[in-house]
């Protein structure tokens, strides 16, 4: 299967991040290499672009499509939470711009055997890296009812989380839950018929929650964003594209925290914390109506950009 993926907010994010044709840029979520290629095409021979992805298929695809770029290209198979280690291994101290596209690639969603989609029958997997020892099947067959309810509610923002968890436990006591369709059928039984008639596919929120839990997607964001800002040179830009409210909330909170100067109590006569702002507030954008019509997966996206002081 070809690695096809439509990058969201492509021009807006790339134009915001690329400020120097001779600069050093990092695409922390290589995916289908859309943002990577768009950044790389703006750089001259002295420029450097680094692509990070834990999915070997993304790395292999990027090796094919980046051969004609003029700039120097580094492709690293790793989790972006290891950004500091990656930069150190390349002897790079600071960079000009960093971009995160936190959406799951269309390739991953549309490859049935990866188990991300509730639209294809496949083993319950959802691992972005096959080196991850824990997959979605392990979670639904081993987590307690309380644990399942918690992650489905928190990560999926699913109002029927408790009932879905209850039905999962009941089903697995009879037979191991092995495929995506096994789980979809359980979810459909758990959610009352009236609630299933409106809104998105009944399994969408639960599958999102499991994907986030399998890959620890939210747990690594705060620290990684702070590491990324530390790696930026003054005037460098960080851009983050999110696809649901939980990711966006973390992004917004980290940016706001790093935009603060003194954090001493207001009644202190002089500053004792010596804290200084690291970021200057930048733009916040959603996709245009035209982009949403062309790519429905972009409808929940938001781009946030900030500049290193």
């Amino acid at each position: 299967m070809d690695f096809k993926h439509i990058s969201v907010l492509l021009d807006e994010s790339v134009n915001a991040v690329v400020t120097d044709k001779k600069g050093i840029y990092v695409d922390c979520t290589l995916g289908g290499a859309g943002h990577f290629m768009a950044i790389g095409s703006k750089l001259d021979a002295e420029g450097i672009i680094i692509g990070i992805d834990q999915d070997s298929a993304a790395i292999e695809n990027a090796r094919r499509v980046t051969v004609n770029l003029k700039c120097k290209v580094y492709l690293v198979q790793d989790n972006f939470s290891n950004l500091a280690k990656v930069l150190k291994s390349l002897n790079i101290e600071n960079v000009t711009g960093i971009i995160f596209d936190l959406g799951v690639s269309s390739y991953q969603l549309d490859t049935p055997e990866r188990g991300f989609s509730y639209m294809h029958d496949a083993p319950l997997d959802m691992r972005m890296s096959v080196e991850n020892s824990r997959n979605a099947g392990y979670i639904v067959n081993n987590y307690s009812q309380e644990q399942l309810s918690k992650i489905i509610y928190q990560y999926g923002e699913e109002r029927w989380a408790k009932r879905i968890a209850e039905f999962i436990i009941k089903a697995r006591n009879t037979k191991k839950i092995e495929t995506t369709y096994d789980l979809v059928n359980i979810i459909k039984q758990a959610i009352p018929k009236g609630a299933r008639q409106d809104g998105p596919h009944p399994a969408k929120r639960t599958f999102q929650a499991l994907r986030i839990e399998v890959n620890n997607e939210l747990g690594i964001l705060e620290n990684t964003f702070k590491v990324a800002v530390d790696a930026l040179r003054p005037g460098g830009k960080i851009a983050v594209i999110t696809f649901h409210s939980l990711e966006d909330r973390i992004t917004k909170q980290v940016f706001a925290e790093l935009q603060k100067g003194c954090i001493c109590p207001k009644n202190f006569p002089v500053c004792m914390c010596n804290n200084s702002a690291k970021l200057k507030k930048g733009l916040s954008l959603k996709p245009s109506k035209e982009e949403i019509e062309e790519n429905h997966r972009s409808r929940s996206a938001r781009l946030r950009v900030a500049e290193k002081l």
Side-chain angles (χ1 to χ4, degrees), residues 139 143-152 165 168 172:
I139 290 169
Y143 275 29
S144 68
Q145 183 171 324
E146 184 180 359
Q147 286 175 308
L148 288 169
S149 177
K150 183 178 179 181
I151 66 167
I152 294 169
I168 287 173
R172 82 186 194 194

Side-chain angles (χ1 to χ4, degrees), residues 18-23 25 42-48 71:
V18 179
T19 57
D20 178 3
K21 291 183 178 181
K22 294 177 171 58
Y25 297 88
K42 288 179 173 286
L43 306 183
D44 63 22
E46 295 176 57
I48 296 173
C71 63

Side-chain angles (χ1 to χ4, degrees), residues 8 10 14 78 90 131 136 159 161 177 182 206 233 242 309:
V8 175
L10 180 65
V14 171
D78 207 334
L90 297 172
E131 293 177 7
R159 60 182 291 221
I177 303 167
D182 286 346
T206 299
R233 58 186 56 167
T242 61
L309 290 170

Side-chain angles (χ1 to χ4, degrees), residues 120-124 175-184 207:
H120 304 288
D121 194 20
L124 264 175
K175 177 181 174 291
K176 186 178 181 181
I177 303 167
E178 296 183 326
T179 71
T180 51
Y181 276 10
D182 286 346
L183 183 57
V184 167
F207 271 61

Side-chain angles (χ1 to χ4, degrees), residues 106-149:
S106 300
Y107 169 81
Q108 289 173 328
L109 288 173
D110 296 335
T111 304
E113 58 266 28
R114 300 298 294 269
F116 284 97
S117 176
Y118 42 80
M119 303 301 289
H120 304 288
D121 194 20
L124 264 175
D125 196 327
M126 303 193 195
R127 293 174 298 168
M128 291 183 181
S129 170
V130 294
E131 293 177 7
N132 185 350
S133 60
R134 181 186 62 178
N135 62 18
Y138 175 85
I139 290 169
V140 298
N141 286 291
N142 291 278
Y143 275 29
S144 68
Q145 183 171 324
E146 184 180 359
Q147 286 175 308
L148 288 169
S149 177

